[in-house]
Amino acid sequence: MPAILKKDKLQALLSGLSRAYKLVLPVRENGMTYFKPYQTGLAIDRDYINTAMSPKEFLFPQTEKMLSFKYREGAEILITGAEPQPEKLAVFGARSCDLAGIAALDPVFGGRFPDPQYSTRRDRVLLVGLGCRRASSTCFCRAFNIDPLSCNGADIAVVELEDCFSVEARTDKGHAQLANFSQLLGEDNSGTVETSLSGAREAIDTSFDGIPDPAGIKDFLDRQFELPYWENIASRCLGCGICTYICPTCHCFDIFDVTRGKPDGNRYRCWDSCMFPDFTGMAGGHNPRPTPKERVRNRFMHKLKYHLDRYEIGGCVGCGRCVEKCPVNLDIRQVINDINKLQGGEN
Ligand code: SF4
Ligand code: SF4
């Protein structure tokens, strides 16, 4: 059962968390909301729909050092490890779609080929979800059965209600942390929090009218690869890669060595994008995705089919970031609707 946190106690909770963890939380800056490190007096944005970048960057940073190497004449190359153990991090304010995004990344980096850097960060992070009270016109998480109030996947779930927050630990890590704040929390003896939560759920559910239905899309894409449709929509794509950089589930990276002309250096990995022409370029000059058609198809197939094929979890969580930011309005919701129509034509 959720506990109650009075609104004037939020700062005390954040301050307490910041003593145990490096704490990041949503802050409004230049018209957008970003996760920023906590400082005393920093105003938390409680009115945002979604942050400009998802919390993916805290588990899978945009650029990170993998190792250092030193060439020694007549001896083996000396290789030293990655960056030191990352700080314990608490992310306050992860939305349900972004928590679902992390659930989609977990099998990629923690499955058959575990990635030690992701796994270490994942073990050391405390995810505090913040349920959504309203959706924007670009949100469609409900299409993928994500409940925006639920904060599934969080260690601690928080929902802002009229005059308090409901706070619930969902994992052992969450329980252990909340135990430190028992003096701030009250019990919901009258059941008002449960009643307010179901009212809030009904209210936000009305915000999702007209969202697409992706239910049959994967089956259709399993059968259809060479659709002229991809060429039609790809002609608009600029190949800017924004859609992949801001996506909470995209996870492609490039690896490169920086030596600055010396026989020693560092190996880094940084985010890459399947929307860039040279992403699939091969040493002999062959490129299996030579035109925007193949690249756009790959991106939507990855979101709606390939990730499900590989990990049995969807590659889109309906956060709406790519819908909002694509400069030519290549809208994944429209793609789902269009494919549904093509599917109707097939029957
Ligand atoms: S954001 Fe739009 S234009 Fe840019 S690569 Fe993605 S689909 Fe293409
Ligand atoms: S494909 Fe677009 S809507 Fe789906 S999770 Fe990625 S950024 Fe969000």
Side-chain angles (χ1 to χ4, degrees), residues 97-98 101 138 140 144 242-244 246-250 299-300 303 315-323 332-333:
C97 55
D98 287 341
T138 52
F140 63 111
F144 299 103
I242 289 174
C243 50
T244 53
I246 56 179
C247 179
T249 69
C250 277
R299 175 171 168 251
F300 289 117
K303 297 295 153 203
C316 176
V317 294
C319 73
R321 287 184 179 90
C322 62
V323 176
I332 188 169
R333 301 170 306 173

mmCIF file with all atom_site columns, all heavy atoms in Angstrom, residues 97-98 101 138 140 144 242-244 246-250 299-300 303 315-323 332-333, ligand 2:
data_model
loop_
_atom_site.group_PDB
_atom_site.id
_atom_site.type_symbol
_atom_site.label_atom_id
_atom_site.label_alt_id
_atom_site.label_comp_id
_atom_site.label_asym_id
_atom_site.label_entity_id
_atom_site.label_seq_id
_atom_site.pdbx_PDB_ins_code
_atom_site.Cartn_x
_atom_site.Cartn_y
_atom_site.Cartn_z
_atom_site.occupancy
_atom_site.B_iso_or_equiv
_atom_site.pdbx_formal_charge
_atom_site.auth_seq_id
_atom_site.auth_comp_id
_atom_site.auth_asym_id
_atom_site.auth_atom_id
_atom_site.pdbx_PDB_model_num
ATOM   1   N  N   . CYS A 1 97  ? 7.025  5.521  -19.380 1.00 0.00 ? 97  CYS A N   1
ATOM   2   C  CA  . CYS A 1 97  ? 7.515  5.122  -20.706 1.00 0.00 ? 97  CYS A CA  1
ATOM   3   C  C   . CYS A 1 97  ? 9.027  4.945  -20.665 1.00 0.00 ? 97  CYS A C   1
ATOM   4   O  O   . CYS A 1 97  ? 9.568  3.997  -21.255 1.00 0.00 ? 97  CYS A O   1
ATOM   5   C  CB  . CYS A 1 97  ? 7.111  6.142  -21.772 1.00 0.00 ? 97  CYS A CB  1
ATOM   6   S  SG  . CYS A 1 97  ? 7.629  7.834  -21.425 1.00 0.00 ? 97  CYS A SG  1
ATOM   7   N  N   . ASP A 1 98  ? 9.721  5.825  -19.948 1.00 0.00 ? 98  ASP A N   1
ATOM   8   C  CA  . ASP A 1 98  ? 11.181 5.730  -19.890 1.00 0.00 ? 98  ASP A CA  1
ATOM   9   C  C   . ASP A 1 98  ? 11.625 4.537  -19.039 1.00 0.00 ? 98  ASP A C   1
ATOM   10  O  O   . ASP A 1 98  ? 12.673 3.931  -19.305 1.00 0.00 ? 98  ASP A O   1
ATOM   11  C  CB  . ASP A 1 98  ? 11.782 7.033  -19.358 1.00 0.00 ? 98  ASP A CB  1
ATOM   12  C  CG  . ASP A 1 98  ? 11.696 8.140  -20.409 1.00 0.00 ? 98  ASP A CG  1
ATOM   13  O  OD1 . ASP A 1 98  ? 11.529 7.814  -21.594 1.00 0.00 ? 98  ASP A OD1 1
ATOM   14  O  OD2 . ASP A 1 98  ? 11.780 9.321  -20.034 1.00 0.00 ? 98  ASP A OD2 1
ATOM   15  N  N   . GLY A 1 101 ? 11.446 1.874  -21.291 1.00 0.00 ? 101 GLY A N   1
ATOM   16  C  CA  . GLY A 1 101 ? 12.623 1.955  -22.174 1.00 0.00 ? 101 GLY A CA  1
ATOM   17  C  C   . GLY A 1 101 ? 13.824 1.265  -21.540 1.00 0.00 ? 101 GLY A C   1
ATOM   18  O  O   . GLY A 1 101 ? 14.572 0.555  -22.209 1.00 0.00 ? 101 GLY A O   1
ATOM   19  N  N   . THR A 1 138 ? 1.539  14.165 -28.189 1.00 0.00 ? 138 THR A N   1
ATOM   20  C  CA  . THR A 1 138 ? 2.417  13.196 -28.871 1.00 0.00 ? 138 THR A CA  1
ATOM   21  C  C   . THR A 1 138 ? 2.617  11.907 -28.072 1.00 0.00 ? 138 THR A C   1
ATOM   22  O  O   . THR A 1 138 ? 3.274  10.987 -28.550 1.00 0.00 ? 138 THR A O   1
ATOM   23  C  CB  . THR A 1 138 ? 3.797  13.833 -29.152 1.00 0.00 ? 138 THR A CB  1
ATOM   24  O  OG1 . THR A 1 138 ? 4.309  14.388 -27.938 1.00 0.00 ? 138 THR A OG1 1
ATOM   25  C  CG2 . THR A 1 138 ? 3.712  14.913 -30.202 1.00 0.00 ? 138 THR A CG2 1
ATOM   26  N  N   . PHE A 1 140 ? 1.886  8.297  -26.616 1.00 0.00 ? 140 PHE A N   1
ATOM   27  C  CA  . PHE A 1 140 ? 1.010  7.158  -26.951 1.00 0.00 ? 140 PHE A CA  1
ATOM   28  C  C   . PHE A 1 140 ? 1.476  5.869  -26.275 1.00 0.00 ? 140 PHE A C   1
ATOM   29  O  O   . PHE A 1 140 ? 1.318  4.776  -26.810 1.00 0.00 ? 140 PHE A O   1
ATOM   30  C  CB  . PHE A 1 140 ? 0.874  6.993  -28.476 1.00 0.00 ? 140 PHE A CB  1
ATOM   31  C  CG  . PHE A 1 140 ? 2.154  6.671  -29.222 1.00 0.00 ? 140 PHE A CG  1
ATOM   32  C  CD1 . PHE A 1 140 ? 2.342  5.425  -29.797 1.00 0.00 ? 140 PHE A CD1 1
ATOM   33  C  CD2 . PHE A 1 140 ? 3.150  7.610  -29.364 1.00 0.00 ? 140 PHE A CD2 1
ATOM   34  C  CE1 . PHE A 1 140 ? 3.510  5.117  -30.482 1.00 0.00 ? 140 PHE A CE1 1
ATOM   35  C  CE2 . PHE A 1 140 ? 4.327  7.314  -30.057 1.00 0.00 ? 140 PHE A CE2 1
ATOM   36  C  CZ  . PHE A 1 140 ? 4.504  6.078  -30.613 1.00 0.00 ? 140 PHE A CZ  1
ATOM   37  N  N   . PHE A 1 144 ? 1.033  0.701  -26.169 1.00 0.00 ? 144 PHE A N   1
ATOM   38  C  CA  . PHE A 1 144 ? 1.892  -0.449 -25.861 1.00 0.00 ? 144 PHE A CA  1
ATOM   39  C  C   . PHE A 1 144 ? 1.597  -0.987 -24.452 1.00 0.00 ? 144 PHE A C   1
ATOM   40  O  O   . PHE A 1 144 ? 2.461  -1.605 -23.823 1.00 0.00 ? 144 PHE A O   1
ATOM   41  C  CB  . PHE A 1 144 ? 3.367  -0.057 -26.007 1.00 0.00 ? 144 PHE A CB  1
ATOM   42  C  CG  . PHE A 1 144 ? 3.706  0.379  -27.401 1.00 0.00 ? 144 PHE A CG  1
ATOM   43  C  CD1 . PHE A 1 144 ? 3.850  1.722  -27.710 1.00 0.00 ? 144 PHE A CD1 1
ATOM   44  C  CD2 . PHE A 1 144 ? 3.829  -0.552 -28.426 1.00 0.00 ? 144 PHE A CD2 1
ATOM   45  C  CE1 . PHE A 1 144 ? 4.133  2.140  -29.007 1.00 0.00 ? 144 PHE A CE1 1
ATOM   46  C  CE2 . PHE A 1 144 ? 4.103  -0.153 -29.726 1.00 0.00 ? 144 PHE A CE2 1
ATOM   47  C  CZ  . PHE A 1 144 ? 4.259  1.198  -30.011 1.00 0.00 ? 144 PHE A CZ  1
ATOM   48  N  N   . ILE A 1 242 ? 18.173 12.471 -35.250 1.00 0.00 ? 242 ILE A N   1
ATOM   49  C  CA  . ILE A 1 242 ? 17.587 12.952 -33.983 1.00 0.00 ? 242 ILE A CA  1
ATOM   50  C  C   . ILE A 1 242 ? 16.685 11.889 -33.368 1.00 0.00 ? 242 ILE A C   1
ATOM   51  O  O   . ILE A 1 242 ? 16.707 11.634 -32.166 1.00 0.00 ? 242 ILE A O   1
ATOM   52  C  CB  . ILE A 1 242 ? 16.789 14.254 -34.219 1.00 0.00 ? 242 ILE A CB  1
ATOM   53  C  CG1 . ILE A 1 242 ? 17.734 15.407 -34.508 1.00 0.00 ? 242 ILE A CG1 1
ATOM   54  C  CG2 . ILE A 1 242 ? 15.926 14.601 -33.006 1.00 0.00 ? 242 ILE A CG2 1
ATOM   55  C  CD1 . ILE A 1 242 ? 17.036 16.684 -34.901 1.00 0.00 ? 242 ILE A CD1 1
ATOM   56  N  N   . CYS A 1 243 ? 15.891 11.245 -34.223 1.00 0.00 ? 243 CYS A N   1
ATOM   57  C  CA  . CYS A 1 243 ? 14.912 10.273 -33.713 1.00 0.00 ? 243 CYS A CA  1
ATOM   58  C  C   . CYS A 1 243 ? 15.595 9.170  -32.910 1.00 0.00 ? 243 CYS A C   1
ATOM   59  O  O   . CYS A 1 243 ? 15.027 8.665  -31.937 1.00 0.00 ? 243 CYS A O   1
ATOM   60  C  CB  . CYS A 1 243 ? 14.107 9.680  -34.871 1.00 0.00 ? 243 CYS A CB  1
ATOM   61  S  SG  . CYS A 1 243 ? 15.125 9.069  -36.219 1.00 0.00 ? 243 CYS A SG  1
ATOM   62  N  N   . THR A 1 244 ? 16.796 8.800  -33.290 1.00 0.00 ? 244 THR A N   1
ATOM   63  C  CA  . THR A 1 244 ? 17.478 7.704  -32.583 1.00 0.00 ? 244 THR A CA  1
ATOM   64  C  C   . THR A 1 244 ? 18.194 8.203  -31.328 1.00 0.00 ? 244 THR A C   1
ATOM   65  O  O   . THR A 1 244 ? 18.232 7.504  -30.330 1.00 0.00 ? 244 THR A O   1
ATOM   66  C  CB  . THR A 1 244 ? 18.492 7.008  -33.513 1.00 0.00 ? 244 THR A CB  1
ATOM   67  O  OG1 . THR A 1 244 ? 19.362 7.991  -34.063 1.00 0.00 ? 244 THR A OG1 1
ATOM   68  C  CG2 . THR A 1 244 ? 17.789 6.287  -34.642 1.00 0.00 ? 244 THR A CG2 1
ATOM   69  N  N   . ILE A 1 246 ? 17.329 10.626 -29.318 1.00 0.00 ? 246 ILE A N   1
ATOM   70  C  CA  . ILE A 1 246 ? 16.436 10.941 -28.206 1.00 0.00 ? 246 ILE A CA  1
ATOM   71  C  C   . ILE A 1 246 ? 15.587 9.749  -27.789 1.00 0.00 ? 246 ILE A C   1
ATOM   72  O  O   . ILE A 1 246 ? 14.879 9.819  -26.782 1.00 0.00 ? 246 ILE A O   1
ATOM   73  C  CB  . ILE A 1 246 ? 15.508 12.130 -28.553 1.00 0.00 ? 246 ILE A CB  1
ATOM   74  C  CG1 . ILE A 1 246 ? 14.741 11.816 -29.833 1.00 0.00 ? 246 ILE A CG1 1
ATOM   75  C  CG2 . ILE A 1 246 ? 16.280 13.422 -28.649 1.00 0.00 ? 246 ILE A CG2 1
ATOM   76  C  CD1 . ILE A 1 246 ? 13.779 12.916 -30.243 1.00 0.00 ? 246 ILE A CD1 1
ATOM   77  N  N   . CYS A 1 247 ? 15.672 8.662  -28.518 1.00 0.00 ? 247 CYS A N   1
ATOM   78  C  CA  . CYS A 1 247 ? 14.805 7.507  -28.231 1.00 0.00 ? 247 CYS A CA  1
ATOM   79  C  C   . CYS A 1 247 ? 15.313 6.757  -26.992 1.00 0.00 ? 247 CYS A C   1
ATOM   80  O  O   . CYS A 1 247 ? 16.496 6.432  -26.910 1.00 0.00 ? 247 CYS A O   1
ATOM   81  C  CB  . CYS A 1 247 ? 14.783 6.570  -29.428 1.00 0.00 ? 247 CYS A CB  1
ATOM   82  S  SG  . CYS A 1 247 ? 13.773 5.107  -29.131 1.00 0.00 ? 247 CYS A SG  1
ATOM   83  N  N   . PRO A 1 248 ? 14.434 6.469  -26.038 1.00 0.00 ? 248 PRO A N   1
ATOM   84  C  CA  . PRO A 1 248 ? 14.889 5.770  -24.825 1.00 0.00 ? 248 PRO A CA  1
ATOM   85  C  C   . PRO A 1 248 ? 15.295 4.321  -25.058 1.00 0.00 ? 248 PRO A C   1
ATOM   86  O  O   . PRO A 1 248 ? 15.878 3.702  -24.165 1.00 0.00 ? 248 PRO A O   1
ATOM   87  C  CB  . PRO A 1 248 ? 13.670 5.843  -23.892 1.00 0.00 ? 248 PRO A CB  1
ATOM   88  C  CG  . PRO A 1 248 ? 12.508 6.110  -24.769 1.00 0.00 ? 248 PRO A CG  1
ATOM   89  C  CD  . PRO A 1 248 ? 13.008 6.835  -25.981 1.00 0.00 ? 248 PRO A CD  1
ATOM   90  N  N   . THR A 1 249 ? 14.996 3.760  -26.231 1.00 0.00 ? 249 THR A N   1
ATOM   91  C  CA  . THR A 1 249 ? 15.355 2.348  -26.451 1.00 0.00 ? 249 THR A CA  1
ATOM   92  C  C   . THR A 1 249 ? 16.465 2.159  -27.486 1.00 0.00 ? 249 THR A C   1
ATOM   93  O  O   . THR A 1 249 ? 16.996 1.059  -27.609 1.00 0.00 ? 249 THR A O   1
ATOM   94  C  CB  . THR A 1 249 ? 14.131 1.515  -26.903 1.00 0.00 ? 249 THR A CB  1
ATOM   95  O  OG1 . THR A 1 249 ? 13.771 1.917  -28.216 1.00 0.00 ? 249 THR A OG1 1
ATOM   96  C  CG2 . THR A 1 249 ? 12.956 1.690  -25.973 1.00 0.00 ? 249 THR A CG2 1
ATOM   97  N  N   . CYS A 1 250 ? 16.811 3.194  -28.249 1.00 0.00 ? 250 CYS A N   1
ATOM   98  C  CA  . CYS A 1 250 ? 17.877 3.045  -29.246 1.00 0.00 ? 250 CYS A CA  1
ATOM   99  C  C   . CYS A 1 250 ? 19.211 2.875  -28.520 1.00 0.00 ? 250 CYS A C   1
ATOM   100 O  O   . CYS A 1 250 ? 19.475 3.554  -27.531 1.00 0.00 ? 250 CYS A O   1
ATOM   101 C  CB  . CYS A 1 250 ? 17.933 4.258  -30.171 1.00 0.00 ? 250 CYS A CB  1
ATOM   102 S  SG  . CYS A 1 250 ? 16.740 4.156  -31.514 1.00 0.00 ? 250 CYS A SG  1
ATOM   103 N  N   . ARG A 1 299 ? 14.772 1.306  -39.141 1.00 0.00 ? 299 ARG A N   1
ATOM   104 C  CA  . ARG A 1 299 ? 14.413 1.937  -37.862 1.00 0.00 ? 299 ARG A CA  1
ATOM   105 C  C   . ARG A 1 299 ? 13.011 1.511  -37.414 1.00 0.00 ? 299 ARG A C   1
ATOM   106 O  O   . ARG A 1 299 ? 12.812 1.092  -36.273 1.00 0.00 ? 299 ARG A O   1
ATOM   107 C  CB  . ARG A 1 299 ? 14.495 3.462  -37.974 1.00 0.00 ? 299 ARG A CB  1
ATOM   108 C  CG  . ARG A 1 299 ? 14.013 4.116  -36.715 1.00 0.00 ? 299 ARG A CG  1
ATOM   109 C  CD  . ARG A 1 299 ? 14.235 5.597  -36.615 1.00 0.00 ? 299 ARG A CD  1
ATOM   110 N  NE  . ARG A 1 299 ? 13.452 6.050  -35.496 1.00 0.00 ? 299 ARG A NE  1
ATOM   111 C  CZ  . ARG A 1 299 ? 12.349 6.784  -35.596 1.00 0.00 ? 299 ARG A CZ  1
ATOM   112 N  NH1 . ARG A 1 299 ? 11.930 7.217  -36.762 1.00 0.00 ? 299 ARG A NH1 1
ATOM   113 N  NH2 . ARG A 1 299 ? 11.670 7.101  -34.533 1.00 0.00 ? 299 ARG A NH2 1
ATOM   114 N  N   . PHE A 1 300 ? 12.051 1.589  -38.330 1.00 0.00 ? 300 PHE A N   1
ATOM   115 C  CA  . PHE A 1 300 ? 10.686 1.234  -37.917 1.00 0.00 ? 300 PHE A CA  1
ATOM   116 C  C   . PHE A 1 300 ? 10.561 -0.278 -37.672 1.00 0.00 ? 300 PHE A C   1
ATOM   117 O  O   . PHE A 1 300 ? 9.824  -0.706 -36.771 1.00 0.00 ? 300 PHE A O   1
ATOM   118 C  CB  . PHE A 1 300 ? 9.668  1.737  -38.939 1.00 0.00 ? 300 PHE A CB  1
ATOM   119 C  CG  . PHE A 1 300 ? 9.529  3.250  -38.894 1.00 0.00 ? 300 PHE A CG  1
ATOM   120 C  CD1 . PHE A 1 300 ? 9.864  4.036  -39.986 1.00 0.00 ? 300 PHE A CD1 1
ATOM   121 C  CD2 . PHE A 1 300 ? 9.096  3.875  -37.738 1.00 0.00 ? 300 PHE A CD2 1
ATOM   122 C  CE1 . PHE A 1 300 ? 9.762  5.416  -39.934 1.00 0.00 ? 300 PHE A CE1 1
ATOM   123 C  CE2 . PHE A 1 300 ? 8.995  5.264  -37.671 1.00 0.00 ? 300 PHE A CE2 1
ATOM   124 C  CZ  . PHE A 1 300 ? 9.328  6.033  -38.768 1.00 0.00 ? 300 PHE A CZ  1
ATOM   125 N  N   . LYS A 1 303 ? 11.839 -0.915 -34.228 1.00 0.00 ? 303 LYS A N   1
ATOM   126 C  CA  . LYS A 1 303 ? 10.899 -0.516 -33.169 1.00 0.00 ? 303 LYS A CA  1
ATOM   127 C  C   . LYS A 1 303 ? 9.722  -1.480 -33.060 1.00 0.00 ? 303 LYS A C   1
ATOM   128 O  O   . LYS A 1 303 ? 9.232  -1.744 -31.964 1.00 0.00 ? 303 LYS A O   1
ATOM   129 C  CB  . LYS A 1 303 ? 10.349 0.897  -33.460 1.00 0.00 ? 303 LYS A CB  1
ATOM   130 C  CG  . LYS A 1 303 ? 11.397 1.985  -33.456 1.00 0.00 ? 303 LYS A CG  1
ATOM   131 C  CD  . LYS A 1 303 ? 11.990 2.142  -32.096 1.00 0.00 ? 303 LYS A CD  1
ATOM   132 C  CE  . LYS A 1 303 ? 13.391 2.675  -32.150 1.00 0.00 ? 303 LYS A CE  1
ATOM   133 N  NZ  . LYS A 1 303 ? 14.171 2.366  -30.986 1.00 0.00 ? 303 LYS A NZ  1
ATOM   134 N  N   . GLY A 1 315 ? 10.244 -2.374 -28.993 1.00 0.00 ? 315 GLY A N   1
ATOM   135 C  CA  . GLY A 1 315 ? 11.328 -1.409 -29.155 1.00 0.00 ? 315 GLY A CA  1
ATOM   136 C  C   . GLY A 1 315 ? 10.821 0.025  -29.176 1.00 0.00 ? 315 GLY A C   1
ATOM   137 O  O   . GLY A 1 315 ? 11.605 0.964  -29.309 1.00 0.00 ? 315 GLY A O   1
ATOM   138 N  N   . CYS A 1 316 ? 9.509  0.209  -29.046 1.00 0.00 ? 316 CYS A N   1
ATOM   139 C  CA  . CYS A 1 316 ? 8.942  1.558  -28.911 1.00 0.00 ? 316 CYS A CA  1
ATOM   140 C  C   . CYS A 1 316 ? 8.099  1.567  -27.657 1.00 0.00 ? 316 CYS A C   1
ATOM   141 O  O   . CYS A 1 316 ? 7.349  0.622  -27.404 1.00 0.00 ? 316 CYS A O   1
ATOM   142 C  CB  . CYS A 1 316 ? 8.092  1.919  -30.131 1.00 0.00 ? 316 CYS A CB  1
ATOM   143 S  SG  . CYS A 1 316 ? 7.280  3.537  -29.969 1.00 0.00 ? 316 CYS A SG  1
ATOM   144 N  N   . VAL A 1 317 ? 8.219  2.638  -26.869 1.00 0.00 ? 317 VAL A N   1
ATOM   145 C  CA  . VAL A 1 317 ? 7.439  2.742  -25.634 1.00 0.00 ? 317 VAL A CA  1
ATOM   146 C  C   . VAL A 1 317 ? 6.461  3.925  -25.701 1.00 0.00 ? 317 VAL A C   1
ATOM   147 O  O   . VAL A 1 317 ? 5.869  4.295  -24.695 1.00 0.00 ? 317 VAL A O   1
ATOM   148 C  CB  . VAL A 1 317 ? 8.368  2.849  -24.398 1.00 0.00 ? 317 VAL A CB  1
ATOM   149 C  CG1 . VAL A 1 317 ? 9.160  1.561  -24.221 1.00 0.00 ? 317 VAL A CG1 1
ATOM   150 C  CG2 . VAL A 1 317 ? 9.320  4.044  -24.506 1.00 0.00 ? 317 VAL A CG2 1
ATOM   151 N  N   . GLY A 1 318 ? 6.334  4.499  -26.890 1.00 0.00 ? 318 GLY A N   1
ATOM   152 C  CA  . GLY A 1 318 ? 5.332  5.543  -27.080 1.00 0.00 ? 318 GLY A CA  1
ATOM   153 C  C   . GLY A 1 318 ? 5.609  6.844  -26.351 1.00 0.00 ? 318 GLY A C   1
ATOM   154 O  O   . GLY A 1 318 ? 4.675  7.574  -26.002 1.00 0.00 ? 318 GLY A O   1
ATOM   155 N  N   . CYS A 1 319 ? 6.905  7.158  -26.147 1.00 0.00 ? 319 CYS A N   1
ATOM   156 C  CA  . CYS A 1 319 ? 7.220  8.393  -25.410 1.00 0.00 ? 319 CYS A CA  1
ATOM   157 C  C   . CYS A 1 319 ? 6.919  9.638  -26.233 1.00 0.00 ? 319 CYS A C   1
ATOM   158 O  O   . CYS A 1 319 ? 6.755  10.728 -25.685 1.00 0.00 ? 319 CYS A O   1
ATOM   159 C  CB  . CYS A 1 319 ? 8.688  8.406  -24.978 1.00 0.00 ? 319 CYS A CB  1
ATOM   160 S  SG  . CYS A 1 319 ? 9.856  8.678  -26.327 1.00 0.00 ? 319 CYS A SG  1
ATOM   161 N  N   . GLY A 1 320 ? 6.880  9.489  -27.554 1.00 0.00 ? 320 GLY A N   1
ATOM   162 C  CA  . GLY A 1 320 ? 6.524  10.613 -28.422 1.00 0.00 ? 320 GLY A CA  1
ATOM   163 C  C   . GLY A 1 320 ? 7.662  11.570 -28.741 1.00 0.00 ? 320 GLY A C   1
ATOM   164 O  O   . GLY A 1 320 ? 7.453  12.556 -29.450 1.00 0.00 ? 320 GLY A O   1
ATOM   165 N  N   . ARG A 1 321 ? 8.869  11.296 -28.248 1.00 0.00 ? 321 ARG A N   1
ATOM   166 C  CA  . ARG A 1 321 ? 9.961  12.260 -28.500 1.00 0.00 ? 321 ARG A CA  1
ATOM   167 C  C   . ARG A 1 321 ? 10.258 12.386 -29.986 1.00 0.00 ? 321 ARG A C   1
ATOM   168 O  O   . ARG A 1 321 ? 10.454 13.491 -30.496 1.00 0.00 ? 321 ARG A O   1
ATOM   169 C  CB  . ARG A 1 321 ? 11.233 11.828 -27.746 1.00 0.00 ? 321 ARG A CB  1
ATOM   170 C  CG  . ARG A 1 321 ? 11.166 12.031 -26.242 1.00 0.00 ? 321 ARG A CG  1
ATOM   171 C  CD  . ARG A 1 321 ? 12.507 11.675 -25.605 1.00 0.00 ? 321 ARG A CD  1
ATOM   172 N  NE  . ARG A 1 321 ? 12.501 11.879 -24.165 1.00 0.00 ? 321 ARG A NE  1
ATOM   173 C  CZ  . ARG A 1 321 ? 12.161 10.950 -23.270 1.00 0.00 ? 321 ARG A CZ  1
ATOM   174 N  NH1 . ARG A 1 321 ? 11.794 9.759  -23.667 1.00 0.00 ? 321 ARG A NH1 1
ATOM   175 N  NH2 . ARG A 1 321 ? 12.182 11.224 -21.964 1.00 0.00 ? 321 ARG A NH2 1
ATOM   176 N  N   . CYS A 1 322 ? 10.321 11.256 -30.696 1.00 0.00 ? 322 CYS A N   1
ATOM   177 C  CA  . CYS A 1 322 ? 10.660 11.348 -32.122 1.00 0.00 ? 322 CYS A CA  1
ATOM   178 C  C   . CYS A 1 322 ? 9.527  12.028 -32.887 1.00 0.00 ? 322 CYS A C   1
ATOM   179 O  O   . CYS A 1 322 ? 9.764  12.706 -33.888 1.00 0.00 ? 322 CYS A O   1
ATOM   180 C  CB  . CYS A 1 322 ? 10.977 9.972  -32.700 1.00 0.00 ? 322 CYS A CB  1
ATOM   181 S  SG  . CYS A 1 322 ? 9.609  8.806  -32.643 1.00 0.00 ? 322 CYS A SG  1
ATOM   182 N  N   . VAL A 1 323 ? 8.296  11.842 -32.422 1.00 0.00 ? 323 VAL A N   1
ATOM   183 C  CA  . VAL A 1 323 ? 7.153  12.489 -33.073 1.00 0.00 ? 323 VAL A CA  1
ATOM   184 C  C   . VAL A 1 323 ? 7.306  14.006 -32.959 1.00 0.00 ? 323 VAL A C   1
ATOM   185 O  O   . VAL A 1 323 ? 7.099  14.761 -33.901 1.00 0.00 ? 323 VAL A O   1
ATOM   186 C  CB  . VAL A 1 323 ? 5.832  12.036 -32.397 1.00 0.00 ? 323 VAL A CB  1
ATOM   187 C  CG1 . VAL A 1 323 ? 4.642  12.762 -32.995 1.00 0.00 ? 323 VAL A CG1 1
ATOM   188 C  CG2 . VAL A 1 323 ? 5.664  10.526 -32.491 1.00 0.00 ? 323 VAL A CG2 1
ATOM   189 N  N   . ILE A 1 332 ? 5.895  8.051  -36.178 1.00 0.00 ? 332 ILE A N   1
ATOM   190 C  CA  . ILE A 1 332 ? 5.744  6.591  -36.021 1.00 0.00 ? 332 ILE A CA  1
ATOM   191 C  C   . ILE A 1 332 ? 4.277  6.204  -35.810 1.00 0.00 ? 332 ILE A C   1
ATOM   192 O  O   . ILE A 1 332 ? 3.846  5.119  -36.208 1.00 0.00 ? 332 ILE A O   1
ATOM   193 C  CB  . ILE A 1 332 ? 6.657  6.048  -34.886 1.00 0.00 ? 332 ILE A CB  1
ATOM   194 C  CG1 . ILE A 1 332 ? 6.645  4.518  -34.858 1.00 0.00 ? 332 ILE A CG1 1
ATOM   195 C  CG2 . ILE A 1 332 ? 6.306  6.636  -33.537 1.00 0.00 ? 332 ILE A CG2 1
ATOM   196 C  CD1 . ILE A 1 332 ? 7.706  3.893  -33.973 1.00 0.00 ? 332 ILE A CD1 1
ATOM   197 N  N   . ARG A 1 333 ? 3.475  7.093  -35.229 1.00 0.00 ? 333 ARG A N   1
ATOM   198 C  CA  . ARG A 1 333 ? 2.051  6.771  -35.053 1.00 0.00 ? 333 ARG A CA  1
ATOM   199 C  C   . ARG A 1 333 ? 1.375  6.661  -36.417 1.00 0.00 ? 333 ARG A C   1
ATOM   200 O  O   . ARG A 1 333 ? 0.557  5.780  -36.650 1.00 0.00 ? 333 ARG A O   1
ATOM   201 C  CB  . ARG A 1 333 ? 1.361  7.859  -34.217 1.00 0.00 ? 333 ARG A CB  1
ATOM   202 C  CG  . ARG A 1 333 ? 1.962  8.041  -32.844 1.00 0.00 ? 333 ARG A CG  1
ATOM   203 C  CD  . ARG A 1 333 ? 1.422  9.273  -32.166 1.00 0.00 ? 333 ARG A CD  1
ATOM   204 N  NE  . ARG A 1 333 ? 1.593  10.460 -33.006 1.00 0.00 ? 333 ARG A NE  1
ATOM   205 C  CZ  . ARG A 1 333 ? 1.105  11.663 -32.740 1.00 0.00 ? 333 ARG A CZ  1
ATOM   206 N  NH1 . ARG A 1 333 ? 0.395  11.842 -31.643 1.00 0.00 ? 333 ARG A NH1 1
ATOM   207 N  NH2 . ARG A 1 333 ? 1.308  12.679 -33.551 1.00 0.00 ? 333 ARG A NH2 1
HETATM 208 S  S1  . SF4 B 2 .   ? 10.418 5.310  -31.410 1.00 0.00 ? 2   SF4 B S1  1
HETATM 209 FE FE1 . SF4 B 2 .   ? 9.877  7.427  -30.862 1.00 0.00 ? 2   SF4 B FE1 1
HETATM 210 S  S2  . SF4 B 2 .   ? 7.985  7.240  -29.641 1.00 0.00 ? 2   SF4 B S2  1
HETATM 211 FE FE2 . SF4 B 2 .   ? 8.929  5.195  -29.722 1.00 0.00 ? 2   SF4 B FE2 1
HETATM 212 S  S3  . SF4 B 2 .   ? 10.209 5.084  -27.869 1.00 0.00 ? 2   SF4 B S3  1
HETATM 213 FE FE3 . SF4 B 2 .   ? 11.552 5.833  -29.536 1.00 0.00 ? 2   SF4 B FE3 1
HETATM 214 S  S4  . SF4 B 2 .   ? 11.449 8.096  -29.420 1.00 0.00 ? 2   SF4 B S4  1
HETATM 215 FE FE4 . SF4 B 2 .   ? 9.744  7.267  -28.185 1.00 0.00 ? 2   SF4 B FE4 1
#
